[in-house]
Amino acid sequence: MYNPKRMACCLIVLAFLPVMAASAQMTIEIKDYVTMPVTGLADGKGNNEVLLSRVNGLREEPGGANRFFVPDLNGPLYILDKETKKLTTYLDFNGREGHPGLFHKLFLETGYGSGLNGFYFDPDYRRNGKFYTVHIENPALPGSIMPDNANFRGLNLAAYTTTPAIAPPGETQFEGVLIEWTDTNISNATFEGTAREILRVRMNTRLHPLGEMIFNPTARPGDPDWRVMYLECGDGGSGEAMSSIRPNPQRLDNFEGKILRIIPDLNEHTSTSTVSENGRYRIPNDNPFVSKPGARKEIWVYGLRNPHRLNWAIDPNNPANNHLVVNSVGLHTWESVYIVRKGANYGYPLREANELLKPDNTTAPLPAVDRIPVQISDVTDELVVPVYPVIKYGHVPGGGDAIGAGFLYNGKALPALRGKYIFTDITTGHVWYADYKDMLAADDGKPETLSPIHEVKISWNGKVHDTMFPIAEAAYQARGGKAAHLPGRATVSGDGRADARFAIDAAGELYIYSKTDGVIRAVVGATAK
Ligand SMILES: [Ca+2]
Ligand SMILES: [Ca+2]
């Protein structure tokens, strides 16, 4: 029954809801989903090998096949059956001496992103069987630069050739390799088909390599963004170096510290793009720097340190609010989330988040008038205003050391999270959310306006925790891990790294996985009270 008095009362309550919501404590409930095979060592010594399994993502196969593809940085690309939870090794990238996989020069030892780093399905996968990977190679390792199909006979290499590496200025060591794979039968759990090297990027150091890629999930055939890849390339450690490589993230003549935008398929968008220098992909004509002499035409945005997690925030109520969002790992001071705007300069290494980054790698307040010179190989006389983050948190207790993946939650199972962007800190295992509307409001060109973030607690096996750290620690110890707490260390997390990151499935439901204990967990509940 309609009751005007009661309605007025409700409206008054509603007016206060945002304030109440801001102070409500969000708690997510997580449940173990699958335990990944150990590909590391439990002995607590060494670098990357101390992580039990370097699971690095969870991608659901398009089209309702009910399977995840799960890359482990150490080499295996698994298919995970959602019904049976059975894992099958689909491909293995580790072909190092004594290993059965594809790439003799796979680089694994150090660097958090080394190994099989990126995996993504082509938007038209159901029809074309294509997917993409990025892995890291050390050219100095023995063996062939060609894939080795001795144990993957279904891979036809007759037409396979490598590409010249595209290098940044300065000394270089490692290479990120983007490959397009075409499986001619996607109904089984084995690979049979061809592969094509698309791009090879040389990096200054082992840090912050080429990594994650994504496609605009709202683009349909005929749209300008259909099958157009956004590909992040870290700064290769250049921006924090106190040497001639320091400006590389600002220099538009190289790929380091950038998000690239390319068309992997040479037959797509042929009238609105040009073929790349290496002949393996196309570059859209509406990329921001295609007409700037000396600039790499592939660049979409620049001035980032380690933009290692890309996601597309889809606003179900307003498609004009859809944005590519990037989580970028900072140096010593700030972790940042940025809304990606065509051609933007995010400032690094001249800025970190919304502060000045000084040549000694400490931060200071921004200058009164904040402008950065555009740099191709040399500094030009053109100036731009840097673009500031919409979320930042500090390298302080209660904060963290390195931002993980984040997602705007659009699933159905967790109504309390709808419209919220949820993300982790990798090392401390803190989880926060921000309201997407606050993030959009903070994307206003003003450095001082940022979205509030709200701490999320985690319920696991009947107990509520402040972070993922004790959860990963318990599982790591139970699996025989020998480090005192967790492997690795970082400034804020101290002894051990939780290594917690989110993923989503095709329905937009959340998972959280951790390299240290090698466990993927499903987020099965969320309450705000
Ligand atoms: Ca197959
Ligand atoms: Ca702002």
Side-chain angles (χ1 to χ4, degrees), residues 30-214:
I30 61 171
K31 263 202 175 119
D32 289 7
Y33 185 73
V34 69
T35 301
M36 302 301 292
V38 173
T39 55
L41 299 169
D43 68 2
K45 300 189 187 78
N47 290 299
N48 283 339
E49 61 268 35
V50 299
L51 305 165
L52 293 188
S53 157
R54 294 171 68 219
V55 49
N56 200 40
L58 194 63
R59 305 285 191 201
E60 185 159 357
E61 185 176 342
N66 225 19
R67 305 196 296 188
F68 283 118
F69 281 46
V70 189
D72 178 328
L73 284 152
N74 286 335
L77 174 59
Y78 300 103
I79 292 179
L80 169 60
D81 186 306
K82 287 181 82 173
E83 287 297 320
T84 63
K85 305 286 173 63
K86 185 172 171 273
L87 286 154
T88 308
T89 301
Y90 176 64
L91 290 171
D92 186 350
F93 281 54
N94 187 0
R96 296 274 294 266
E97 253 173 331
H99 293 271
L102 293 161
F103 297 99
H104 294 169
K105 294 174 184 287
L106 186 74
F107 176 61
L108 291 168
E109 286 85 348
T110 55
Y112 299 118
S114 65
L116 167 56
N117 194 355
F119 174 88
Y120 214 87
F121 288 103
D122 188 284
D124 215 10
Y125 172 81
R126 291 309 296 175
R127 286 201 295 184
N128 63 25
K130 290 185 194 293
F131 60 90
Y132 306 89
T133 60
V134 164
H135 72 275
I136 312 304
E137 292 188 359
N138 179 0
L141 286 171
S144 172
I145 195 174
M146 285 285 290
D148 181 340
N149 64 356
N151 295 302
F152 294 93
R153 303 306 300 183
L155 171 60
N156 179 346
L157 293 170
Y160 195 100
T161 53
T162 59
T163 61
I166 297 168
E171 284 191 25
T172 56
Q173 298 178 52
F174 302 101
E175 292 175 357
V177 187
L178 172 67
I179 294 175
E180 172 201 78
W181 304 79
T182 305
D183 190 329
T184 54
N185 176 8
I186 60 169
S187 68
N188 57 19
T190 52
F191 182 87
E192 45 284 313
T194 53
R196 203 167 63 87
E197 184 171 310
I198 292 180
L199 177 63
R200 185 173 280 267
V201 181
R202 206 175 259 270
M203 310 292 299
N204 288 126
T205 77
R206 63 179 171 77
L207 300 170
H208 321 150
L210 190 72
E212 186 150 279
M213 73 290 272
I214 197 169

Side-chain angles (χ1 to χ4, degrees), residues 407-415 417-421 508-510:
F407 295 94
L408 172 59
Y409 181 76
N410 274 332
K412 291 199 168 62
L414 313 169
L417 283 179
R418 280 211 200 112
K420 299 187 189 318
Y421 183 83
E509 299 305 339
L510 284 168

